[in-house]
Amino acid sequence: MTDSNECLLKTVGICKEFSSVQVLKDINIEVLRGEILGIIGENGAGKSTLMKIFSGIYTPTTGEIRFEGEKVSIPDPLSAKRLGISILPQEFNLVNDLAVYDNIFLGSEIKKRSGLLDKKRMMERTTRLLRELEVEIKPDEKLEKLSTAQKQMVEICKAVAMDARLLIMDEPTTVLTRYEIDILFNLMRRLREQGTTIIYISHKLREVKAICSRVVVLRDGEVVHTEMTEKISELEMAQRMVGRELSQVFPERKTPTPEVIFEVRNLSVPGMLHDVSFQLHKGEILGFAGLVDARRTELGEAIFGVRKRSSGRILMEGAEIDIRSPQEAVRYGIDYLSDDRQGSGILTSFSVTQNITLVSLFAYCASFLKVIMRKNEDAASLRHKERFNIKAPSLNVRLEYLSGGNQQKVSLAKSIDPAPKVLIANEPTRGVDVAAKHEIYRFINSLAQTGLSCIFISSEQEEIIGMCHRVIVMKEGRIMGTVEGRDINEEQIMFLATGVHAGAART
Amino acid sequence: EKYLKIGYSMPAATAGYMARAIYWAKKGMADWKAKDKNLEFLYVNAENVTKQANDIEDLMAKGINVLIVWPYDASVTSVIEKAWKAGIYTVVMDRGTSKVCYDTYLSNDDEGYTREGTEWLSKQLNYKGNIVLIEGIPCPINTVRIETIKKTAAQYPGMKILDSQPGNWRKDEALKVMENYLQKYKAIDAVYTADDDMMLGALQAYKESGRKDIKYFLGGACDKNVIKMIMDGKEPLVQANVTYPPDQCATVVGVAIQGARGKNFQGFYQKKIPVRIILAAELVTRQNAASYYFPDEP
Amino acid sequence: MKTHTLALLGKIQYEKVAPFVALAVLFVASSVLSPYFLQIQNLLNILRQVSYTGMIALGMTFVIIGGGIDLSVGSLAAFNASMGILFLNYLMGPLGNEYLAMAGGILAALLLGAFSGALNGFLITKGKIAPFIVTLGSMAIFRSLALFIGSAGEIRSVSNYYGTFGMESILFVPVPVFAMVILTVLLSLVLNNTAYGRYLCAVGSNLRVAVFSAIKVNKIKFITYTLCGLITSVSAVMLSSRFNAVSTSNLGMGFELDAIAAVIIGGTPLTGGRGTVWGTVMGAIILGIINNMLNMLGVSPYLQGTVKGLVIIGAVYIQAQKS
Amino acid sequence: MKTHTLALLGKIQYEKVAPFVALAVLFVASSVLSPYFLQIQNLLNILRQVSYTGMIALGMTFVIIGGGIDLSVGSLAAFNASMGILFLNYLMGPLGNEYLAMAGGILAALLLGAFSGALNGFLITKGKIAPFIVTLGSMAIFRSLALFIGSAGEIRSVSNYYGTFGMESILFVPVPVFAMVILTVLLSLVLNNTAYGRYLCAVGSNLRVAVFSAIKVNKIKFITYTLCGLITSVSAVMLSSRFNAVSTSNLGMGFELDAIAAVIIGGTPLTGGRGTVWGTVMGAIILGIINNMLNMLGVSPYLQGTVKGLVIIGAVYIQAQKS
Ligand SMILES: Nc1ncnc2c1ncn2[C@@H]1O[C@H](COP(=O)(O)OP(=O)(O)OP(=O)(O)O)[C@@H](O)[C@H]1O
Ligand SMILES: Nc1ncnc2c1ncn2[C@@H]1O[C@H](COP(=O)(O)OP(=O)(O)OP(=O)(O)O)[C@@H](O)[C@H]1O
Ligand SMILES: [Mg+2]
Ligand SMILES: [Mg+2]
């Protein structure tokens, strides 16, 4: 037991029920001043819920919170803010209709003496913050114009902008690449020096080990382990949170057939993509690496038919195809898994089943009237639920009641349900826990064995390196190069992505 | 002959009666134009008082020297006054203004309209019976009419007004109201709506209900179908009507032209045209119905 | 876990039953307040009185679920019914046979209805114009066309039978009520059991996701407005048959507000994405009962608005709370 | 990169200027079509004619940006103006001084207006009732109260000056136009340069985020409806001064549709989250020009609706395309 003056926040027997199901059971944790505390656990373990309790979005069913030794109640976000608790939530918490700087200062605007907004100063501070994070975004850019990764960076700025005493980061790095993550970590270290306490949630155990001083492991809403990070290995962390031995991470890669199933020639999108060409072999997993604003998302969207191409040809099984809309793409056997889960991936107001079968719905319909056959639908979604072990109270629960990672699993299930020949997977394992990741890797791999070809966009280099047969590296909408076999390693990729040698890129 | 640029502003056709009024207004304008080249008509319709105020301003902007206006209600007075003060020969019709700001006023007789009706109805029921009313849209003329009905009926102790609910001068709404009356009142002797659209709606509700107690349905303003009914005499429930002539809208054109040119009608010894002309509300029965039948009206 | 599911379902369920609750409360209140309310005939009257806007509200439900709105329904009804009757009258000559002519007229009205709706849909999808504006415009256009062809007066049908079929009853149930019930059953099947229904909700709840899910968004919207136009015409035909005529100046006036009100009172959010067809029917009936009671209690014409407003707000308040 | 961002900016800009473009097109067309159109007096007329609904539309803009809607503005105007005049007339006795009485009456109307708006806001936030329903209800309520106090007739003011001040001009600009311009400047300042403005957009764009960002959502909504009520009363006072009376049965009829139309034609989406105050003014003027031209060209009354509808749709179509 540490005495309260070096302990910033302390929970005593916190429980949380959602409509009579226990999500958190008797949580007792301490957050020490100036530490970076890691919290890990399977999808649905209760991490975000706990954080939402700290930030006043949920109130605990029972139990109490001690802040600076005193018992506090945090009924709403405002009181959390007053205590100096700032959260960077798992799902984007940004207003699309407002500019970047408006978002960063939303709720804590800088005002002139006249009471009017001091836009100039807010923009200046925004520019400074963004520069600290080394992202190139205009402070007065409309948020909706930004990419997932860029939004994430803005989200980070927003959380940092109000210099909080306790900063909670719920999976901030899911769409970030190694490069930005290093920047983020430097920032976090600096903050810690300035005395900010940080709670850091992630499924990337490597990061947890790298940045956190202590780690708390949650399983099914209970604290099962607390440990100094130097005393615990990644593997052990993983086993603690899953509660069983883990199989080896990446499955065996079988070399794909030489047959080219899909090809892109000189694809361009004005101001976005410049003369992109590549080939995809049957059964191949083709990785796309790059930093923020590599525009891989754009490439994916352009192929899938949601972005207008100015030029370029697309060939499927040798024949040229003209994709002008997602319907056509899907008809040709191409499907896309979006990295912007709630923005364009899933419908939070729809049930698990309804989401999973949304793209492939006709396959579950009878007669020309397209009557949905519930049985088949449920059967299918049940298969997916088990395969990815989606933690959901039932198949007809609205997705808003699922944890982030489980939503991601649904999103993946949705994109593979139509059994595409070519899957464009953008950040497929975003926010998914280790165990589930392994399942997903194994699954995609097995599909590849049976002839599925996959365009694998990911910001996690381990993933890319572990999964892909070939890796194409992009930068600002151009292909910088391709690495194969032996050459698939960090140095090569970073070199192509940044144009600088990895050693230098890292600082 | 003096060249007249005549602006004519009326409320829009929101009920059957107004449609007929507009028909006559156009007829009046067409007839006069046919026989006199020195006339120009600018005709406008308004859905509400604000629009009507705008209309009058627009007409003035187009430089009219005669204004014929059927005010939505007296609240438009001050706008009309502006035109009048600007030296435009102003003829106000039907619904009055709240002060004298016109050269001539031509109107139907709202009080006489429902007095005639109520008297007839009372007489038919020999001054004893239960009647239900269906009102129009709550507004001044409606108030005048309903008040008059109540006043007139009050003279006869036997005449009981059971209820008075708004049917907004609409057939379908009058029908609903009547359906509900029929549930509410087990014995009704007559239905008075002072409007033929509403009367037809009420009549239909009664027919559908299969009840036999009601003896008279009295509407008003001589819808051509109703007049036909009376002429043919095949519908014992509908035996009379009272005029509220929509052709006032045609008459008024003549009044305005004569007045603006400083003439008067045949047989008047005065130089100037009368300041106020009130058209009689006439009782229409099978005997005289034929002369009130205008098959061309909408 | 079980309990959890049930609880969640429970939560979802209440939304669905809320309108029924509100209706029940109103129903009980009415039967206490007025001795006439519970008469079978009165209840049948109410049902028939609401059936016309009720049907339209059903179409409106779909439109609103899809994230749109249709202000044109009222004038669309007037215009199509007018055209239908004109066509009927025209057919009487050549065809001679009254029934054929009637069939022709009705068919014309329905087709034209679907077409008018499709026109809205076309402008909204291809023209990329806000539904509110498109239908505000077409509201004005359809009305003025109706006024024009009927010079603001009545358009009567020359067939007498046309004037009766809308008033008949099938085993005590008035025809329009019958039509409304059938439509309700059909539409709730469509909404809950067909791909189209599922897509409609998707489009309404998040357009972007719908697009990424390879849903033909424009097609769905187009179909929906067409459907709404068609259903509106069914109601229009029934209504005009009631009077064997159309009053071009005021048939359908204000229907759009009544319909939208019914939809929202019925528990479908104006923001779209979800909704219930049965709820809408409840909403329509709630409005009908209010109007009926105003007459039954003989509320002064001036104050009727106040009472109506208060009750509407109250009815929705009941729903808003527990859910 | 540069070009990229520039392009984006360009796009954002067009949204803002689109209404002006539409207006320009209409303006040129009108001046070609009618010799009377360009007369100073006519242009001033148009401005004054639109200023009344224009002001209301400004309040409506805020409501809509906040993700709500207010159908009650029209009857609210009638009710508050009536009360204001009654109070004025009452004051004439004790105070004797016409100007004081007038000030009193106007003040009363404005306060009552704010209060009425606040009532809407209260029901929407605390009562958790959909804005559409609340304001649909209060629309009926305010109207019926107005009818009640004026027994459906007109309420005249006994002060003559009251009837003139609204018609006067400040350096050739009619008072109501002046008021509209001032309001527009103020409100666009509020929208773009105050925290409240930001919060309003946040609330309308994404309620969840607004809540998470520790914004007092209900307070923002409440303020907005109150503001709308207040502004509506400013317009109501001007309007009643124009008539020196209020037609309780008719004043403000259909204003809600005109106002909402102006907002949307002005480029503010009905879904809220963003919007421009100046755009709304343009929208109002566009509607005003359309009405003016219908008279200037003497379009047949029955066909006016058609023309109006087509032009409205066209005006928005122009905007919808390039953006
Ligand atoms: N609003 C809610 N209503 C009902 N159940 C909920 C709600 N929010 C979360 N849950 C449930 O609580 C459990 C924990 O959710 P939580 O989001 O805290 O998990 P998590 O640890 O953040 O998982 P992930 O790593 O995927 O983000 C999940 O089973 C989820 O289904
Ligand atoms: N300078 C910029 N200004 C505005 N938007 C930009 C800029 N640079 C890139 N974008 C946006 O970023 C997106 C492309 O970059 P993005 O970060 O998505 O590449 P990415 O490889 O998809 O990133 P991730 O790997 O995280 O998906 C596009 O949506 C584009 O609008
Ligand atoms: Mg989480
Ligand atoms: Mg991306």
Side-chain angles (χ1 to χ4, degrees), chain A residues 47-48 90 170-171 403-405:
Chain A
K47 304 182 292 297
S48 298
Q90 184 169 13
D170 193 347
E171 306 194 28
S403 78

Side-chain angles (χ1 to χ4, degrees), chain D residues 149-274:
Chain D
I149 59 176
S151 46
E154 50 147 15
I155 296 179
R156 313 202 112 271
S157 97
V158 295
S159 142
N160 294 327
Y161 185 60
Y162 184 79
T164 55
F165 87 94
M167 302 304 281
E168 291 178 353
S169 298
I170 303 169
L171 17 115
F172 302 107
V173 185
V175 170
V177 179
F178 218 82
M180 177 174 72
V181 173
I182 292 174
L183 275 173
T184 311
V185 173
L186 282 180
L187 291 177
S188 70
L189 195 70
V190 170
L191 183 61
N192 302 317
N193 296 296
T194 68
Y196 163 77
R198 288 287 186 280
Y199 296 163
L200 187 63
C201 295
V203 168
S205 172
N206 188 332
L207 201 61
R208 198 185 100 257
V209 174
V211 172
F212 285 14
S213 308
I215 292 173
K216 296 211 187 73
V217 172
N218 281 347
K219 187 173 152 202
I220 299 297
K221 285 185 181 171
F222 183 80
I223 294 175
T224 308
Y225 285 92
T226 311
L227 190 68
C228 184
L230 178 62
I231 295 172
T232 302
S233 286
V234 175
S235 158
V237 167
M238 298 277 173
L239 198 50
S240 57
S241 139
R242 181 186 190 187
F243 295 107
N244 198 26
V246 173
S247 157
T248 55
S249 61
N250 189 280
L251 186 91
M253 277 277 175
F255 277 17
E256 59 282 354
L257 274 191
D258 285 355
I260 299 174
V263 173
I264 300 181
I265 294 174
T268 302
L270 197 52
T271 46
R274 58 203 158 76

Side-chain angles (χ1 to χ4, degrees), chain A residues 18 23 42-49 58 90 171 203 401-406 431, chain C residues 4:
Chain A
F18 286 112
V23 169
E42 275 183 295
N43 295 128
K47 304 182 292 297
S48 298
T49 307
Y58 295 153
Q90 184 169 13
E171 306 194 28
H203 291 295
Y401 302 128
L402 295 199
S403 78
N406 286 305
Chain C
H4 185 160

Side-chain angles (χ1 to χ4, degrees), chain B residues 36-56:
Chain B
D36 185 341
K37 295 279 145 289
N38 296 329
L39 297 174
E40 178 184 354
F41 291 98
L42 309 172
Y43 179 74
V44 289
N45 268 189
E47 301 76 37
N48 57 49
V49 285
T50 321
K51 170 77 160 55
Q52 183 161 45
N54 298 348
D55 285 350
I56 294 172

Side-chain angles (χ1 to χ4, degrees), chain B residues 81-97:
Chain B
E81 189 175 16
K82 261 179 61 194
W84 186 57
K85 288 233 175 92
I88 295 172
Y89 188 87
T90 305
V91 181
V92 174
M93 62 185 297
D94 199 77
R95 316 179 189 171
T97 48

